[in-house]
Amino acid sequence: MAAGVTFAVGLPGGGGSGDDGDGGRHRPVGAAGATAEESPSASSSPSSSSSASPSSSAEEKSPARTPAGSAPAGAPDGEERKSGVPVTVQAAPYAWESPCSQRYLVDKPAGEMKPPPVEEGAAAWVAAHGAVSSGQQYLRLTVQGTGPETVVVDGLTVRVAGKRAPLAWNDYAMAYPGVGCGGGVQTRAFSVSLDSARPSLTPEAGNEDFPFKVSESDPEVYYITASVSAYDVDWYLELKWSSGDRSGTLTVDDGGRPFRTSGNKGRPAYEFPIGGDGWVPEGTTKLD
């Protein structure tokens, strides 16, 4: 379901808490990806500019643009020139911890809605309905090095690009009434409350916190549950990495636009009975 990583030239707008624009959320749905920003040394602070790209400082260090992991012309055997960002992030913004926990807000009546999708079809279903994650959003991030060198993932920071009143839309549950759900216990699981004035990731019980190490042969998968009740929030993540004398930041978002998660308190809620032909008010399905 997750699309390949894209390195875009712009970050999600804002970074503040006001609704001073659309925050990029009206752009067409694209592949989930990451924007790269690199600092030349571990002691240098990443630039705060929101228009950095992988070709900036990384290519300044390697004028000949030698591919990472290959030896430049005239270099002694075994000597490699490191260029480019040494880590990639693949984001799946519409992953499900379980169908029972996944809901979407949609600005359409129940009679115009398609049946719930399976998880693999969630991204297309969301795009077709203009849906927004309801109550919480479950992200799966796959982080992998691009070469044999070890890359330290120093942390993930939550950035809010916009915050508004919750959406006054209908709330659709993905679970079928009467069908049991279960979720696995992940070893790299984090949660964040987007209602907080300064949202930050907290490891789930029994999980370790950053830093972690990755390489091309040893990727990591992080699972993030972002919850919200009082707002409609545009947000994204900044992943800080370091490798040897280099460090940088990757902005992780939904294909060049922020993730979007809205509270659903008091909204009309609907469910789809197994074998049924349409959505009905939640809690009205008769179970055998």
Side-chain angles (χ1 to χ4, degrees), residues 216-236:
E216 187 174 28
S217 60
D218 189 19
E220 288 266 334
V221 180
Y222 309 142
Y223 299 88
I224 298 170
T225 302
S227 302
V228 65
S229 61
Y231 300 99
D232 169 21
V233 182
D234 294 330
W235 60 285
Y236 58 98

Side-chain angles (χ1 to χ4, degrees), residues 42-67:
S43 60
S44 301
S45 299
S47 169
S48 60
S49 170
S50 62
S51 60
S53 70
S55 62
S56 58
S57 58
E59 290 189 355
E60 290 173 4
K61 292 189 66 182
S62 305
R65 300 189 181 184
T66 307

Side-chain angles (χ1 to χ4, degrees), residues 73-101:
D77 290 341
E79 182 178 334
E80 296 182 350
R81 168 172 289 179
K82 298 177 182 179
S83 63
V85 177
V87 64
T88 64
V89 182
Q90 189 177 49
Y94 303 108
W96 294 358
E97 183 176 15
S98 78
C100 288
S101 64

Side-chain angles (χ1 to χ4, degrees), residues 31-283:
T35 301
E37 181 176 315
E38 183 179 359
S39 299
S41 67
S43 60
S44 301
S45 299
S47 169
S48 60
S49 170
S50 62
S51 60
S53 70
S55 62
S56 58
S57 58
E59 290 189 355
E60 290 173 4
K61 292 189 66 182
S62 305
R65 300 189 181 184
T66 307
S70 64
D77 290 341
E79 182 178 334
E80 296 182 350
R81 168 172 289 179
K82 298 177 182 179
S83 63
V85 177
V87 64
T88 64
V89 182
Q90 189 177 49
Y94 303 108
W96 294 358
E97 183 176 15
S98 78
C100 288
S101 64
Q102 188 55 60
R103 313 175 72 96
Y104 295 106
L105 290 166
V106 182
D107 191 19
K108 291 183 179 181
E112 297 181 10
M113 296 291 296
K114 296 180 180 179
V118 294
E119 181 180 356
E120 290 75 17
W125 193 93
V126 166
H129 291 85
V132 171
S133 295
S134 173
Q136 70 176 35
Q137 186 163 2
Y138 188 70
L139 273 66
R140 183 176 64 244
L141 305 183
T142 302
V143 184
Q144 185 173 20
T146 60
E149 68 270 21
T150 297
V151 180
V152 177
V153 180
D154 296 301
L156 277 170
T157 302
V158 179
R159 300 296 187 190
V160 173
K163 184 179 285 189
R164 301 160 297 275
L167 292 168
W169 295 357
N170 290 332
D171 186 25
Y172 295 94
M174 297 296 101
Y176 288 93
V179 177
C181 292
V185 178
Q186 310 299 342
T187 58
R188 297 283 188 262
F190 303 85
S191 60
V192 56
S193 172
L194 299 176
D195 289 317
S196 300
R198 294 180 179 274
S200 61
L201 295 184
T202 301
E204 297 281 5
N207 282 254
E208 297 179 356
D209 203 352
F210 294 96
F212 302 117
K213 295 180 180 180
V214 299
S215 66
E216 187 174 28
S217 60
D218 189 19
E220 288 266 334
V221 180
Y222 309 142
Y223 299 88
I224 298 170
T225 302
S227 302
V228 65
S229 61
Y231 300 99
D232 169 21
V233 182
D234 294 330
W235 60 285
Y236 58 98
L237 296 164
E238 290 182 344
L239 182 147
K240 294 183 179 180
W241 61 267
S242 58
S243 180
D245 62 351
R246 295 183 298 161
S247 64
T249 302
L250 288 176
T251 294
V252 184
D253 57 22
D254 187 1
R257 68 181 190 176
F259 305 117
R260 188 179 184 187
T261 316
S262 176
N264 57 9
K265 186 177 181 179
R267 303 313 311 152
Y270 295 89
E271 64 191 14
F272 201 101
I274 293 180
D277 57 4
W279 295 84
V280 299
E282 189 171 30

